[in-house]
Amino acid sequence: MRILVNGAWRETVAAELSTVLEELGYGGAVVATAVNGEFVALGVRPRTRLAEGDRVEVLAPMQGG
Amino acid sequence: MLQLYGTALRSRLLLGTARYPSPAVLTEAVRAARAEVVTVALRRESGGERAGQGFWSIIRELGVRVLPNTAGCHSVKEAVATAHMAREVFGTSWIKLEVIGEDDTLQPDVFGLTEAARILCAQGFEVFPYTTEDLVVAERLLAAGCRVLMPWGAPIGSGRGLNNPFGLTALRAHFPDVPLIIDAGIGVPSHAARALELGFDAVLINTAVAQARAPAQMAAAFAQAVEAGRAARLAGPMEPRDLAAPSTPVIGTAFRG
């Protein structure tokens, strides 16, 4: 299945957001997620099933003004 | 002491964390500023990359309160989603709400801002809206549930100081009891002192410190300016006048009459 992660197309095997994050190397990282522009809380990731073409945002803390 | 959503703060200088030459310099600057609140953001991070994790460790070690922003958001939907993501990652309901309306000036889209503020306040966020000095917009933001306002001094990163002191003075006079923090455009410590002299409760500085030749030294200078400006405000500045008034008493002046 192809999904758009942070603006780049990625091929994934898993369907659940939490597993996809593990697959992409985010395991253990402090990140926040959104799917198709809607916030997905940490606790909801395991039961959030992704579909072909979904847009996933994975954001981490960064310097800001 | 400054009260922001029930939190008492000694320092009236809030510091941004972006654009420093290194994390070590950022740390020095926060300490030199004696800042109790720093702003932070969220950005895309690729899997395996850990830049964000490293940054977050540095901030936590500083022991300061964080004010996450929604910088870069151009729509209500983006800003609301980003605020929720920030609340989860940073563990705070504080959010510096930015909805940008114009890319050259980074001027806030005040229509989107008021709508996003209404949604976020209803969802339990404590919103710090980045706004202009417009009184009507300020009224709408307060009606939306905001209890702090962050009017700009000048466009973000411009270092121009207070572009519209008349408008800012009117804003201060109109909302005497609302904490008002000048958010953007401060370039040098005298601008910050001026903001406090005009009665603003605090200033948020980033580029002026981060891009100084010696950021920690500049942070210390800003801290002094903010203290001086606040003390002057409390002391009650004199009214300016157009003509000279001798400061030395004229009675008894020699060689007259």
Side-chain angles (χ1 to χ4, degrees):
Chain A
M1 174 173 72
R2 267 159 57 87
I3 55 172
L4 202 56
V5 180
N6 286 349
W9 287 104
R10 305 296 294 261
E11 194 71 42
T12 68
V13 181
E16 292 78 23
L17 178 57
S18 51
T19 319
V20 168
L21 292 175
E22 289 284 342
E23 220 179 273
L24 296 176
Y26 290 104
V30 178
V31 291
T33 52
V35 175
N36 298 328
E38 303 285 346
F39 168 62
V40 178
L42 178 62
V44 182
R45 288 179 203 160
R47 57 176 192 274
T48 300
R49 292 184 68 82
L50 300 175
E52 177 79 24
D54 273 352
R55 289 174 295 111
V56 179
E57 294 288 333
V58 187
L59 306 187
M62 199 58 65
Q63 296 85 342
Chain B
M1 290 225 286
L2 176 60
Q3 293 276 346
L4 301 177
Y5 287 104
T7 297
L9 299 166
R10 272 185 301 276
S11 170
R12 292 172 181 271
L13 173 55
L14 290 72
L15 207 60
T17 56
R19 308 185 68 184
Y20 289 83
S22 72
V25 174
L26 162 64
T27 300
E28 282 171 22
V30 172
R31 292 200 173 120
R34 298 191 298 279
E36 293 172 288
V37 177
V38 300
T39 53
V40 291
L42 286 175
R43 282 292 179 272
R44 286 172 168 176
E45 185 161 272
S46 57
E49 195 187 346
R50 287 291 186 268
Q53 318 303 311
F55 168 71
W56 185 216
S57 300
I58 290 165
I59 297 301
R60 274 183 301 192
E61 280 167 24
L62 283 167
V64 291
R65 183 175 280 271
V66 294
L67 174 57
N69 69 28
T70 63
C73 291
H74 283 68
S75 71
V76 172
K77 188 176 179 186
E78 285 171 14
V80 169
T82 303
H84 279 274
M85 295 166 94
R87 181 161 68 176
E88 182 179 270
V89 164
F90 295 112
T92 175
S93 294
W94 282 15
I95 190 77
K96 179 160 99 77
L97 182 60
E98 296 184 28
V99 182
I100 298 302
E102 207 280 316
D103 279 333
D104 287 330
T105 58
L106 297 178
Q107 185 160 341
D109 165 6
V110 295
F111 307 98
L113 181 70
T114 49
E115 175 62 10
R118 187 187 61 74
I119 293 168
L120 291 171
C121 289
Q123 292 172 339
F125 283 87
E126 294 176 317
V127 177
F128 295 64
Y130 166 61
T131 185
T132 67
E133 65 275 29
D134 190 294
L135 296 181
V136 180
V137 173
E139 287 279 12
R140 297 284 167 88
L141 289 168
L142 296 172
C146 298
R147 294 289 169 266
V148 175
L149 300 177
M150 299 188 84
W152 66 350
I156 296 169
S158 68
R160 295 284 177 177
L162 306 181
N163 254 356
N164 181 6
F166 175 78
L168 289 168
T169 302
L171 183 72
R172 177 69 287 175
H174 205 72
F175 302 103
D177 302 321
V178 177
L180 299 177
I181 303 169
I182 296 289
D183 181 358
I186 300 281
V188 287
S190 55
H191 296 155
R194 174 98 172 109
L196 274 288
E197 286 165 8
L198 289 179
F200 287 88
D201 295 280
V203 290
L204 168 57
I205 314 284
N206 190 347
T207 309
V209 168
Q211 299 283 293
R213 187 173 47 76
Q217 206 173 326
M218 188 60 85
F222 268 105
Q224 291 171 16
V226 165
E227 278 184 25
R230 176 66 182 170
R233 173 69 178 186
L234 294 176
M238 65 170 279
E239 285 298 319
R241 45 182 289 153
D242 291 331
L243 299 177
S247 46
T248 302
V250 291
I251 298 168
T253 305
F255 314 120
R256 296 284 170 88

